Structure formats: structure tokens, C-alpha cells
Amino acid sequence: MATGSSGVVIVTGAGGEMGHALIPHLLAAGKRVVAADLRAPTSPWPDGVRAATGDIRDRAFVKTLADAWGEGPIEAVYHLAAVLSSAGERNPELAHEVNVMGTMHLLSLAAERGTPGHPPLVLFPSSIAVYGLHDLDAKRNAGALHEEEHLDPRTVYGLGKLAGEELGGYYARYYRQLDPQGPRRAVDFRSIRFPGILSADTLPSGGTSDYGPEMLHAAAKGEPYRCFVRPDARIPFMTMPDAIRAIEAIAAAPVSRLSRRVYNVGAFAPSAAEIAELVTRHFPRARIDFSPHPARQAIVDSWPEDVVDHAARRDWHWTPTHDFESAFAEYLVPRITSRYAAAVR
Ligand code: SER
């Protein structure tokens, strides 16, 4: 995983979906992890993890994170904490404070607490929410988007992710540029724009791509599901194991291989109807109907149908393991079925 010195590895949003999936990989790589989250852990973390409970809006709390294992440099920050897109629209001020100010606090911490000459890796999960198509015609005409296209987000979450990407670039190039010795390369900032993510183990909360995972988990539990977007709504998705693989691959890539700091990654891009069909094929008793929520639909309509991920494929050999069919047949359905076995029986 993270290369460089053997300092601590800080994971924010450690109790969230991606944190749960990522931390075992960091431990397997022998890292000493600081698991930061707003909420205290519901079950104890294994050896190798120290929990830090607090709010990343609080700069004083963030400053304590580097010391959870005693004095020592920061090797890497996996800054996963965020208020997702639907939750952000319900409280834009909170979303800005967490998503932008919180990111700034983590970047400052990493910049100040690295090993001299070894800027800490800062891994920032960005999102397809940085894109903004004005209407459905624009979305259909645009097709799959390259990284530089249509950066006109409709949500405060998308704005915050775009700001986080730019702030990361600033800390990587221009931090302390007025100091007599000039700017420092204070952090090794790397970012992946994720599509919607499908996990067999957890559900997201407060996102707008949540209809994908919610449909599947409801069917596996034997519950009906009312989908909040139209059947033709189409955005890219990938599985959680592939998302973690992408993080590992970009983190391990030699800096000389990286032609950019922010990368698209894609895997498959089904419509909501196609997700419903595949869920129903695997769970024939699934009860899914569609009752679009206009505002959430408009957010999904502003996100691209798919992304172009040539740069990630070329620079750090990104390739998803799961396509749409195999995601369900080989990962989601077997794992989710055993998870909810008691409920469906
Ligand atoms: N999955 C996120 C959301 O729906 C987008 O990155 O908010």
C-alpha cells in the first residue's frame, strides 16, 4: 500500500463503508493505522488500529491524529470522511464545513507532519459528482466524460470534491510559496473519482447513487424497494473490492508514472432498470418499483452516463475485476446471500 517512510497511516471516515473495506488491507500490509471517525467504534478495531473519535471540522482534533501512536511522522492519509450528495443538499453548510474545511485540516496536518523529503501520501476519494450536465440531452450527447470535461457540479458535495481536488493540488505544488525557500511539495496528493459503489457488506448513507446498493440489499433481505430514480437513469458503478483495488494501485504507483493527480475509474454503467432486472434474476421474489424523487433524479441526471478512464489504465494499470454480470454472480449475490441468509429463509 502506501509507500515511503514507516510512519502512521491516518484513515478518516474509518467507520464508513470504504473505511471498513480499506483498513484490513492496510493492516495486512503491516501499517499502524489511526482510525478517525465522528462516532466511537461499535466493535473494537483489531491490533494495529488506534481509534480517534472526533469531528474533522475541529482543527484541534485533527492535530491530535498524528500522535495516536506516540510521536512519529505521517506516512499516509486516506481521507475518506465526507457528507455525501443527498445529505449535503439537506445541510449545505455542514457539507461545506466537513468536505472542504475538513479536507483542508487534513492536508495541513499531512503537510506539517511528514518526514522531510518524503511528503505523505494523501489519498482523496473524489466522485463523479464533480461533473455537471445541464439536462438529459446534454448528458446523452456527452456520453462518457474525460477528466477535464463538464466540471460544473450541481451539488454542494460535488463542489466540495472539486475543491478538495484543487486544494490537494495546491498543497502538492504551491504550499508556502512565499517562504524564502519557495514552495514545498508538502504532500503527495492522489485522487480517484469514484462512481457509485456496490458493497455486499455495507450500505452507504446519504448518497444519490444509493438506489443501486439499496435495491440489491432490499431484495436480499426479502423487502420491497421503491427506487427514487427513473428506470432509464444511468450512471457508472463499481464493486467495493474494485474500489479498494483502485486505491491500492494508485497508492503503490511510482510518482513518475502519474501523469495527473486526479483520475477517473470506470467498471460498468447500467441503467436503474438494468440493475433491477439483474437483481430480479438473482432474487426472483424481489419487489422493485419506481417512484422518482424529482430533486434526486435531477442530481443523477447531472452525472455522466459513464467515464473515460484511459489515464488510470495507462498510468497505474487500472482494470476492474468485475463487470456488471460478474459483479453480481461472483461477488455481490454469493456474499450478500450468506449475509442475509437468516432473513430470507
Ligand atoms: N456515491 C456518492 C453519492 O451518491 C457519489 O460519489 O453521493
Side-chain angles (χ1 to χ4, degrees), residues 3-6 73-76 110 113-121 185-188:
T3 50
S5 59
S6 58
I74 296 175
E75 177 182 332
R113 297 293 298 272
T115 309
H118 289 279
L121 170 73
R185 186 172 166 258
V187 300
D188 175 1

Side-chain angles (χ1 to χ4, degrees), residues 83-87 126-129 157 161 194-197 204 206-210 235 303:
V83 174
L84 295 185
S85 54
S86 287
S126 187
S127 163
I128 52 165
Y157 169 77
K161 286 296 184 188
F194 281 109
I197 295 179
T208 316
S209 57
D210 295 7
I235 56 168
W303 292 350

Side-chain angles (χ1 to χ4, degrees), residues 120-333:
L121 170 73
V122 176
L123 194 293
F124 181 65
S126 187
S127 163
I128 52 165
V130 298
Y131 298 111
L133 285 316
H134 291 297
D135 54 35
L136 260 185
D137 279 346
K139 172 168 172 155
R140 287 183 182 140
N141 291 334
L145 294 190
H146 289 88
E147 280 91 347
E148 297 79 13
E149 295 179 287
H150 296 285
L151 296 174
D152 190 11
R154 185 186 171 108
T155 60
V156 70
Y157 169 77
L159 284 165
K161 286 296 184 188
L162 202 49
E165 293 177 1
E166 293 293 326
L167 286 167
Y170 165 80
Y171 275 79
R173 279 176 302 180
Y174 303 127
Y175 187 59
R176 301 262 180 243
Q177 59 185 312
L178 295 191
D179 285 1
Q181 60 274 35
R184 280 203 286 130
R185 186 172 166 258
V187 300
D188 175 1
F189 181 81
R190 306 179 185 199
S191 179
I192 296 174
R193 287 188 188 146
F194 281 109
I197 295 179
L198 296 163
S199 168
D201 299 329
T202 50
L203 275 161
S205 65
T208 316
S209 57
D210 295 7
Y211 62 89
E214 284 175 359
M215 218 184 267
L216 169 67
H217 281 254
K221 283 190 268 186
E223 294 172 0
Y225 185 66
R226 177 150 292 180
C227 181
F228 60 79
V229 295
R230 289 186 316 267
D232 67 298
R234 185 183 300 279
I235 56 168
F237 280 92
M238 72 171 43
T239 62
M240 183 64 85
D242 272 341
I244 300 302
R245 223 171 269 122
I247 290 177
E248 291 185 294
I250 196 175
V255 71
S256 58
R257 295 280 319 160
L258 303 181
S259 60
R260 39 186 320 120
R261 288 178 213 291
V262 179
Y263 289 84
N264 282 342
V265 286
F268 44 87
S271 67
E274 287 162 353
I275 300 176
E277 268 165 43
L278 199 49
V279 166
T280 308
R281 202 189 316 151
H282 286 284
F283 297 99
R285 281 186 284 175
R287 284 162 291 153
I288 299 166
D289 66 6
F290 290 83
S291 174
H293 180 290
R296 297 183 92 186
Q297 178 69 60
I299 291 171
V300 170
D301 287 344
S302 79
W303 292 350
E305 288 189 343
D306 204 352
V307 291
V308 176
D309 61 2
H310 295 161
R313 288 176 186 261
R314 180 191 62 222
D315 291 359
W316 39 276
H317 309 298
W318 161 247
T319 171
T321 323
H322 296 126
D323 61 17
F324 186 39
E325 294 279 339
S326 69
F328 278 71
E330 289 167 21
Y331 163 62
L332 292 165
V333 172

